[in-house]
């Protein structure tokens, strides 16, 4: 109960202080998505590949708004600020924004696709492309000329060009990241776009492949036998059919009730995790004998080849590391705090559903063509505009509570040792302060295991100080 109240207090304070900025950023993200989809659909009617290359910008507009909203409330997160204060110079803040944006592309695209938002964008893009393509065909019929465009009406198929786009975008992204110190600052925009392009097209290729495999499996004779067996057993023993349907319903509901708030908390962990992360596990301790033999053979490779392989592996692993770190932080925060956050998020979803229902009842019945087809998008946007700032404040409050719980545990664990051997701690000389890296990024604070950044408690709140390992 105390954890829930802490999350509520933090969320309320963040919402009270920052709701105008949150509202403005969310509206900017929605407007940017709409403009990009309209432009991509127009271009896609002429060339499907060019239109598909513009479509990731629609998702990026939502991601930029989300990262900006999470960083807007950053100064009000007291637990996080205690161990990782906000940088004062604008250059470092811009660099942190770019790092958070790059780190959030992969998990946000996965979240976007898993909850059907990517499908909605693709449907809106296809509708716009079909509308423009129909106009081009009509003009061609009237003028008795060949229709403009490639005839695909924005639909992109799997071709060697699709795979080439993934490879080229990934390679260019890797090259620009490697030599970013020698390039102008505005190249960061190109890096973000290339990251979004290769992730989007890779997701497109993967989804088409999964659909092909699923369709092939569903047409096999064994699946027909299983369906017939299930129907026969259900007809002979009705309670078994009820149990089966109940389990399917429970799993479907659990995905929306439990996984959705955890996904939001994980995305917040990825964005804020540029400053806070659990202590990494040494790679030499993983995998046992088999991994040891692999590492031994790897060390026999030429040094230049090993350097290139390390660069490629580090670039790939860097996209998944923030997700794993966010999950580890949530796991170590304990089930009580995470369960309380899930409960609060579920209540917010219920409020959103009731608000949408009440809004429709308030408007009442109207003509479909003269009213709903004209004003439907504006009407259905009212509730999300009001709910989204609350959602972001709740997610930020939940993550701040996670950090606070871990800080409290570290302080409690350090208290007995400091009471037993105070003279030993006094004898240890103070370690020199850590300097910023060559790129100006702030040092990550570890919150698990025996680390060199110990969390202590002061009268003004928890702080991060150097300690002994």
């Amino acid at each position: 109960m105390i954890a829930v109240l802490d999350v509520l207090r933090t969320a309320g304070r963040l919402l009270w202080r920052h709701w105008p900025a949150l509202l403005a950023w969310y509206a900017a993200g929605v407007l940017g998505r709409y403009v990009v989809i309209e432009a991509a659909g127009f271009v896609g009617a002429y060339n499907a590949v060019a239109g598909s290359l513009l479509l990731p910008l629609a998702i990026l507009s939502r991601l930029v708004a989300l990262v900006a909203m999470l960083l807007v409330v950053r100064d009000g997160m007291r637990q996080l600020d205690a161990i990782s204060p906000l940088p004062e110079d604008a250059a470092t803040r811009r660099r942190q924004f770019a790092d958070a944006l790059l780190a959030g592309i992969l998990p946000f695209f996965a979240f976007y696709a898993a909850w059907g938002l990517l499908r909605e964008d693709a449907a809106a893009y296809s509708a716009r492309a079909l509308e423009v393509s129909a106009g081009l065909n009509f003009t061609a019929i009237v003028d008795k000329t060949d229709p403009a465009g490639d005839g695909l009406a924005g639909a992109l198929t799997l071709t060697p060009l699709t795979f080439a786009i993934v490879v080229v975008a990934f390679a260019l992204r890797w090259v620009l990241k490697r030599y970013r110190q020698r390039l102008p600052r505005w190249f960061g925009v190109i890096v973000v776009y290339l990251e979004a392009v290769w992730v989007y097209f890779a997701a497109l290729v993967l989804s088409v492949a999964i659909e092909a495999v699923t369709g092939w499996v569903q047409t096999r004779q064994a699946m027909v036998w299983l369906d017939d067996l299930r129907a026969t057993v259900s007809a002979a023993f009705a309670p078994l059919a009820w149990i089966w349907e109940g389990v399917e319903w429970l799993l479907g509901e659990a995905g929306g009730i439990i996984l959705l708030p955890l996904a939001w908390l994980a995305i917040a962990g990825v964005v804020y995790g540029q400053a806070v992360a659990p202590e990494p596990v040494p790679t030499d301790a993983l995998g046992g004998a088999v991994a040891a033999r692999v590492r031994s053979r790897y060390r026999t490779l030429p040094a230049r080849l090993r350097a290139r392989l390390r660069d490629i592996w580090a670039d790939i692993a860097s996209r998944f590391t923030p997700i794993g770190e966010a999950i580890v932080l949530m796991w170590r925060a304990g089930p009580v705090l995470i369960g309380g956050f899930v409960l609060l998020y579920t209540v917010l979803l219920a409020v959103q559903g009731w608000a949408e229902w009440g809004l429709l009842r308030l408007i009442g019945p109207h003509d479909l063509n003269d009213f709903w087809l004209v004003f439907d998008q504006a009407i259905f946007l009212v509730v999300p505009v009001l709910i989204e700032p609350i959602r972001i404040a709740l997610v930020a409050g939940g993550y701040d509570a996670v950090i606070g719980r871990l800080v409290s545990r570290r302080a409690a664990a350090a208290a007995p040792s400091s009471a037993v051997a105070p003279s030993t701690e006094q004898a240890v000389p103070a370690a020199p302060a850590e300097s910023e890296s060559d790129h100006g990024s702030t040092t990550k604070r570890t919150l698990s295991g025996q680390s060199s950044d110990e969390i202590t408690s002061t009268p003004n709140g928890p702080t991060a100080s150097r300690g002994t390992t």
Side-chain angles (χ1 to χ4, degrees):
M1 188 63 179
I2 297 177
V4 174
L5 293 178
D6 290 341
V7 174
L8 278 177
R9 280 194 293 266
T10 303
R13 185 179 68 253
L14 297 178
L15 184 64
W16 175 257
R17 294 176 57 182
H18 300 289
W19 71 265
L22 295 175
L23 193 64
W25 273 111
Y26 178 72
V30 172
L31 180 60
R33 170 188 173 273
Y34 174 79
V35 171
V36 170
I37 288 180
E38 290 292 309
F42 181 83
V43 175
Y46 290 90
N47 188 281
V49 174
S52 298
L53 286 173
L54 289 177
L55 191 56
L57 293 176
I59 309 174
L60 267 182
S61 65
R62 298 286 294 269
L63 177 59
V64 169
L66 172 62
V67 172
M69 293 168 74
L70 289 173
L71 294 182
V72 159
V73 300
R74 173 72 168 78
D75 61 345
M77 300 173 65
R78 296 173 179 173
Q79 301 293 343
L80 181 58
D81 188 64
I83 62 174
S84 179
L86 280 171
E88 296 181 358
D89 58 305
T92 304
R93 290 197 296 269
R94 287 194 298 267
R95 191 178 299 110
Q96 286 187 350
F97 180 85
D99 292 341
L101 191 61
L102 283 172
I105 287 178
L106 181 61
F108 185 76
F109 272 59
F111 167 80
Y112 210 78
W115 263 265
L117 301 176
L118 184 60
R119 193 180 304 112
E120 292 180 4
D121 287 357
Y125 161 75
S126 298
R128 174 60 176 163
L130 285 173
E131 179 184 359
V132 177
S133 181
L136 295 176
N137 292 334
F138 179 78
T139 302
I141 293 174
V142 172
D143 297 340
K144 296 181 180 180
T145 58
D146 294 332
D150 55 9
L152 296 177
L156 187 66
T157 58
L158 289 185
T159 61
L161 180 60
T162 308
F163 293 94
I165 290 174
V166 177
V167 175
V168 171
F170 182 84
L172 289 176
R173 159 74 175 88
W174 181 80
V175 171
L176 291 179
K177 179 182 177 182
R178 181 175 177 81
Y179 299 102
R180 62 180 177 180
Q181 298 304 316
R182 306 178 187 178
L183 299 173
R185 223 176 257 177
W186 58 268
F187 266 82
V189 178
I190 301 178
V191 171
V192 172
Y193 171 72
L194 291 174
E195 180 81 3
V197 167
W198 88 259
V199 171
Y200 172 77
F201 275 84
L204 177 65
V205 171
L206 185 62
S207 64
V208 173
I210 292 176
E211 289 179 0
V213 172
T214 304
W216 180 84
V217 171
Q218 293 296 331
T219 57
R220 299 303 95 189
Q221 186 64 37
M223 299 303 298
V224 178
W225 291 341
L226 288 176
D227 290 339
D228 293 341
L229 178 62
R230 176 184 174 183
T232 303
V233 173
S234 300
F237 191 62
L240 185 61
W242 300 339
I243 294 175
W244 182 269
E245 293 175 356
V247 170
E248 288 184 341
W249 175 85
L250 181 61
L251 292 178
E253 292 298 318
I257 294 176
I258 299 177
L259 296 182
L260 181 59
L262 294 183
W264 273 104
L265 203 58
I267 291 176
V270 170
V271 174
Y272 295 132
Q274 306 305 307
V276 179
E279 183 184 7
V281 179
T283 55
D284 292 340
L286 299 177
V290 176
R293 287 196 297 268
V294 171
R295 286 192 292 268
S296 178
R297 292 180 180 273
Y298 168 76
R299 294 188 182 101
T300 61
L301 297 175
R304 185 179 296 273
L305 177 59
R306 278 185 288 143
R308 298 289 77 77
L309 291 176
R310 278 198 304 268
D311 291 340
I312 295 174
W313 173 251
D315 189 66
I316 296 175
S318 64
R319 293 167 173 81
F320 299 94
T321 301
I323 305 174
E325 291 174 347
I327 294 174
V328 169
L329 287 177
M330 287 189 293
W331 176 266
R332 290 176 178 170
V336 176
L337 176 58
I338 300 301
F341 172 76
V342 171
L343 176 62
L344 291 176
Y345 192 91
T346 304
V347 172
L348 180 62
L349 288 181
V351 171
Q352 182 177 359
W354 295 334
E356 292 173 349
W357 179 85
L359 179 64
L360 293 178
R361 295 302 182 274
L362 180 64
I363 295 175
H366 291 277
D367 184 76
L368 176 63
N369 295 323
D370 295 337
F371 184 82
W372 287 111
L373 292 181
V374 177
F375 302 106
D376 58 342
Q377 294 188 7
I379 291 174
F380 292 132
L381 190 61
V382 171
V383 175
V385 164
L386 298 177
I387 292 294
E388 202 63 25
I390 303 176
R391 191 196 317 275
I392 296 300
L394 180 62
V395 171
Y399 186 80
D400 199 49
V402 168
I403 298 299
R405 178 63 57 87
L406 297 177
V407 168
S408 300
R409 288 184 177 180
R410 295 289 294 158
S417 60
S418 61
V420 172
S423 59
T424 304
E425 291 186 358
Q426 295 174 359
V428 177
E434 295 188 20
S435 60
E436 291 186 349
S437 64
D438 295 337
H439 307 313
S441 59
T442 56
T443 303
K444 284 188 176 182
R445 306 298 186 184
T446 56
L447 290 176
S448 63
Q450 296 296 327
S451 65
S452 59
D453 289 324
E454 293 292 330
I455 306 300
T456 59
S457 181
T458 66
N460 296 328
T463 60
S465 61
R466 296 291 297 175
T468 59
T469 55

